[in-house]
Amino acid sequence: MKITFLGGGNMASALIGGMLERGFALGDIQVVELGDAARAALESRFGVRAVAAFDATALACDVLVLAVKPQQMKAALAPIAGQLAGQLVISIAAGLRLADLGRWLGAPGAPYTRLVRCMPNTPALIGAGVTGLYADPSVDVAGRAAAERILAAVGSTVWADAEAQMDAVTAISGSGPAYVFHFIEALEAAGRSLGFDEARARQLAIDTVLGAARLAACSDDSPALLRQKVTSKGGTTEAALASLAASGWHDELVVAVNAAEDRGRELGAQLGRD
C-alpha cells in the first residue's frame, strides 16, 4: 500500500512514526511538503521521500492523506484537481466536509467521492489518541480497513454513522483533552491551596487522572459504578461530589460540549466556502 501525505506537520509526523513502528514499509511512505525546514526534518527523522510538490511518483499512490491546515486545503489541492485515479483520500483536516473536499479534488461537475474524513486528537502525538472516522458511501470495505489501519497507528478508532456526527466527535474527543487539562489545572490548584508545592500538587493531579482513566479503560464496570465504589456514604468523596453537584458542573459540561459541536458546524460551513 503506497501512501502519500500532503503536509508534514506534527500529526503527519506522528502518523508516519506510528506506521513505521507497526510495520509499514519505509519505501511505501512519501510526503509532499512545501516548507523546506519541515521537509528536511521529515527526511532526517524518518528517511521518507519528501518533495516540495506533487510529481508522478507522489501521485501514483494508493492512499493520499491530507494533513494540511483547513484554511490552506483548497489551494493545496488545486494542483491535483481532476487528476486522481481512484486513490483513497483520507482527510485529517479538522472541520472540512467531504462534499467540499470532493468538489476541490474532482473535475468540474464531477466531484471526487472516495473520501474518508478523520478527527484525531492531540494525544495521538504520543500514540495515545482516539480518532473518529466517517467514510463516503462509495468507500468499500477494503478502503475503510486501510483508513482504520493508518489511523490506528496513533491510537484507537471509532466510526461515525453519519458525517454530521463528526462535529460531535470534534466536540467530545477533539476538544476533550482541553477539558481534561482544565480539570487537572483545577485539581492542582486545589492541591496548592491545601499546602502542597507546585511539583507535588501537579504529580498528585496528573497521576490521579491517569490512573483513574486506566482503571476505567480496563474495568468492566461503567464510570458511574466506579464512581459509586469510591464514594463511601458520609465520607470525603461524597462531600466533594455533593459540592460539585450543587454547582451544576455535570450539566454545564454537557452544555459546553454541545456549544463546541455547534461551533464545529459553523466552522465547517465557513471553511467550505468557495
Side-chain angles (χ1 to χ4, degrees), residues 144-189:
R144 289 169 64 98
E148 187 164 358
R149 184 183 173 209
I150 290 170
L151 272 300
V154 290
S156 63
T157 58
V158 177
W159 284 95
D161 295 325
E163 187 175 6
Q165 290 182 321
M166 292 301 292
D167 293 319
V169 169
T170 301
I172 297 168
S173 60
S175 299
Y179 315 151
V180 176
F181 298 148
H182 194 39
F183 178 81
I184 292 172
E185 284 183 88
L187 200 57
E188 179 187 337

Side-chain angles (χ1 to χ4, degrees), residues 63-262:
V63 180
L64 174 61
V65 180
L66 306 180
V68 177
K69 291 181 180 179
Q71 299 86 346
Q72 301 170 352
M73 185 66 75
K74 183 180 178 182
L77 296 181
I80 59 170
Q83 297 185 44
L84 297 185
Q87 294 94 328
L88 178 69
V89 178
I90 300 173
S91 171
I92 60 173
L96 283 177
R97 299 170 181 174
L98 296 187
D100 299 316
L101 290 167
R103 190 171 69 254
W104 297 338
L105 274 169
Y112 199 80
T113 59
R114 198 158 186 257
L115 303 166
V116 176
R117 178 177 166 186
C118 304
M119 182 67 229
N121 60 1
T122 54
L125 299 177
I126 60 167
V130 57
T131 299
L133 305 94
Y134 174 75
D136 184 271
S138 66
V139 178
D140 57 14
V141 172
R144 289 169 64 98
E148 187 164 358
R149 184 183 173 209
I150 290 170
L151 272 300
V154 290
S156 63
T157 58
V158 177
W159 284 95
D161 295 325
E163 187 175 6
Q165 290 182 321
M166 292 301 292
D167 293 319
V169 169
T170 301
I172 297 168
S173 60
S175 299
Y179 315 151
V180 176
F181 298 148
H182 194 39
F183 178 81
I184 292 172
E185 284 183 88
L187 200 57
E188 179 187 337
R192 293 197 306 270
S193 75
L194 294 171
F196 290 103
D197 60 33
E198 182 176 347
R200 287 185 292 172
R202 181 165 299 176
Q203 181 183 353
L204 285 167
I206 291 175
D207 287 356
T208 295
V209 171
L210 184 62
R214 286 177 173 170
L215 178 58
C218 69
S219 176
D220 291 331
D221 294 337
S222 68
L225 183 55
L226 290 171
R227 170 180 53 79
Q228 292 169 16
K229 287 182 175 181
V230 179
T231 309
S232 301
K233 187 171 179 60
T236 58
T237 307
E238 186 180 65
L241 292 177
S243 178
L244 287 172
S247 73
W249 77 276
H250 184 281
D251 293 340
E252 286 299 319
L253 180 57
V254 174
V255 170
V257 174
N258 277 270
E261 184 195 23
D262 291 342

